[in-house]
Amino acid sequence: MCTAVSFLSKEHYLGRNFDLDISYGEKAVITPRNYPFKMRKLQDLTEHYALIGIAAIFDDVPLYYDAVNEYGLSMAGLNFEGNAVYLEEVPEKLNVTPFEFIPYILGQCKTVAEAKALLEKINLVNIPFSEQLPLSPLHWIVADKEQTLVVEPLASGLKLSDDPVGVLTNNPTFDKQLLTLSKYRGLSAKTPENTFAPAVDLPVYSRGMGTFGLPGDLTSSSRFARAVFTKAHSICEPTEMSSVSQCFHILNSVEQVKGCCELEEGHFEHTIYSVCYNTAKGLLYYSTYDNRQLTALDLHKVDLDGSEPNVYPLLTEQNVHYQN
């Protein structure tokens, strides 16, 4: 399970929580323009736009969970179990494997509009990275400062949906997630008027009564509604640090606490990391479950014309600053 948010403040930001029960040794990775992405069914990407993101590395290949490229196009993959369908090869299509998908799009597209045009030609094929690493059932959020897109691999092919709320979680399909929001039309950040029984003095016994009914459980539909509401009403100063802080506050409103969602005996889903990208500047900020301090990386602080990825292990131990 995961939650992703496309957030516009001082600049454009993409944030996501990565929720799972186990870690695959995720790392922050900057891939320069001349690293050869080897494609299974297409010509290798030997020249492409530079990327910065979070990835697991297997056989020296960065398998990106989320990333932004040097032109500000961002992308994240989220669990879509029970709905994701990867197809067999189609000769007239560009046959791309799901683990190649993020670098293939971000390596060639500068905007969501360009990504849409390329996506119309793509078929996501059912080819795993290896026998030991089967495919994950995913769907993706693709965002720039102008628009946000959801890409869902269904039995009929790739379904592209404009995302007017800039949020993505997991199941059900995105159209159903949007429809569910209608149940919460009456919610507000303001104290509500008494329309239930105007002749009866119904006291306002607490602040925040306008949000009564906002779901607080951990299901993907509830996290979707809560993230949309929180993002829609969030206010921050038009500065970098205020914007980044607000992005993490939105993510924190739907984070998973270890122990609250048991998958099997002794295995609990939790927010392994949270990340926020300033897509315009190529800045990556992250925190991990046991390290709440923000760590930042800058895409433009390395040689973008290189041919080897720059790999940074995530800092997972809390560093406490004592003031006295």
Side-chain angles (χ1 to χ4, degrees):
M1 311 296 272
C2 298
T3 305
V5 175
S6 177
F7 176 64
L8 192 62
S9 175
K10 177 180 185 292
E11 292 175 300
H12 176 250
Y13 301 85
L14 180 76
R16 75 89 55 89
N17 287 339
F18 182 79
D19 304 331
L20 205 61
D21 60 318
I22 56 174
S23 169
Y24 289 93
E26 297 79 21
K27 296 175 174 61
V29 182
I30 298 175
T31 302
R33 300 175 185 126
N34 295 308
Y35 169 80
F37 282 108
K38 297 186 182 301
M39 307 293 292
R40 295 295 174 91
K41 294 297 176 179
L42 297 173
Q43 184 176 350
D44 292 348
L45 281 180
T46 55
E47 297 180 0
H48 51 79
Y49 304 142
L51 313 178
I52 183 171
I54 305 293
I57 298 179
F58 290 91
D59 297 336
D60 297 324
V61 178
L63 304 179
Y64 277 103
Y65 301 173
D66 42 79
V68 63
N69 70 17
E70 60 184 294
Y71 290 99
L73 184 64
S74 56
M75 195 168 174
L78 289 80
N79 193 46
F80 198 41
E81 189 172 359
N83 283 310
V85 177
Y86 304 132
L87 304 174
E88 298 305 312
E89 291 181 60
V90 177
E92 62 271 20
K93 289 277 193 176
L94 298 171
N95 293 289
V96 179
T97 71
F99 62 85
E100 299 166 338
F101 195 39
I102 287 180
Y104 190 74
I105 296 297
L106 296 188
Q108 303 180 88
C109 302
K110 297 180 181 180
T111 63
V112 170
E114 288 186 8
K116 275 186 175 181
L118 183 57
L119 286 163
E120 296 288 351
K121 306 173 186 177
I122 288 177
N123 174 49
L124 283 184
V125 290
N126 188 24
I127 299 176
F129 183 78
S130 66
E131 290 184 3
Q132 295 73 34
L133 197 65
L135 293 174
S136 298
L138 302 174
H139 59 173
W140 291 263
I141 185 171
V142 186
D144 61 20
K145 64 181 180 180
E146 301 294 338
Q147 55 186 319
T148 304
L149 182 72
V150 171
V151 182
E152 294 176 314
L154 305 176
S156 58
L158 290 184
K159 181 179 180 181
L160 310 182
S161 303
D162 291 326
D163 184 349
V165 296
V167 173
L168 184 64
T169 56
N170 312 105
N171 297 324
T173 54
F174 185 68
D175 56 345
K176 294 179 181 177
Q177 293 274 43
L178 279 181
L179 182 62
T180 300
L181 293 181
S182 296
K183 296 192 300 184
Y184 309 109
R185 281 176 54 97
L187 271 58
S188 171
K190 299 179 180 180
T191 300
E193 179 186 353
N194 175 16
T195 58
F196 176 77
V200 180
D201 183 16
L202 299 178
V204 178
Y205 60 83
S206 173
R207 295 178 180 177
M209 291 183 69
T211 64
F212 191 78
L214 185 66
D217 61 79
L218 301 180
T219 63
S220 54
S221 291
S222 293
R223 285 184 286 107
F224 183 81
R226 195 157 70 255
V228 170
F229 180 88
T230 305
K231 177 197 165 187
H233 293 276
S234 68
I235 298 173
C236 64
E237 298 298 321
T239 65
E240 177 71 1
M241 285 301 96
S242 180
S243 301
V244 170
S245 176
Q246 192 72 339
C247 186
F248 277 98
H249 281 300
I250 296 169
L251 295 174
N252 291 345
S253 74
V254 289
E255 71 175 343
Q256 301 246 35
V257 177
K258 190 182 294 185
C260 294
C261 181
E262 186 172 16
L263 304 184
E264 57 183 88
E265 184 69 30
H267 288 269
F268 300 94
E269 186 168 275
H270 58 287
T271 300
I272 292 176
Y273 72 82
S274 298
V275 66
C276 172
Y277 298 92
N278 178 323
T279 63
K281 295 182 177 178
L283 295 172
L284 180 161
Y285 303 87
Y286 74 85
S287 65
T288 58
Y289 191 83
D290 290 318
N291 180 14
R292 309 302 288 173
Q293 179 174 319
L294 296 186
T295 303
L297 291 167
D298 187 338
L299 172 67
H300 299 283
K301 290 294 180 68
V302 305
D303 178 13
L304 296 185
D305 290 317
S307 59
E308 293 295 328
N310 299 265
V311 179
Y312 308 86
L314 299 188
L315 303 180
T316 58
E317 295 185 6
Q318 185 68 56
N319 181 19
V320 178
H321 175 69
Y322 292 93
Q323 287 189 299
N324 60 352

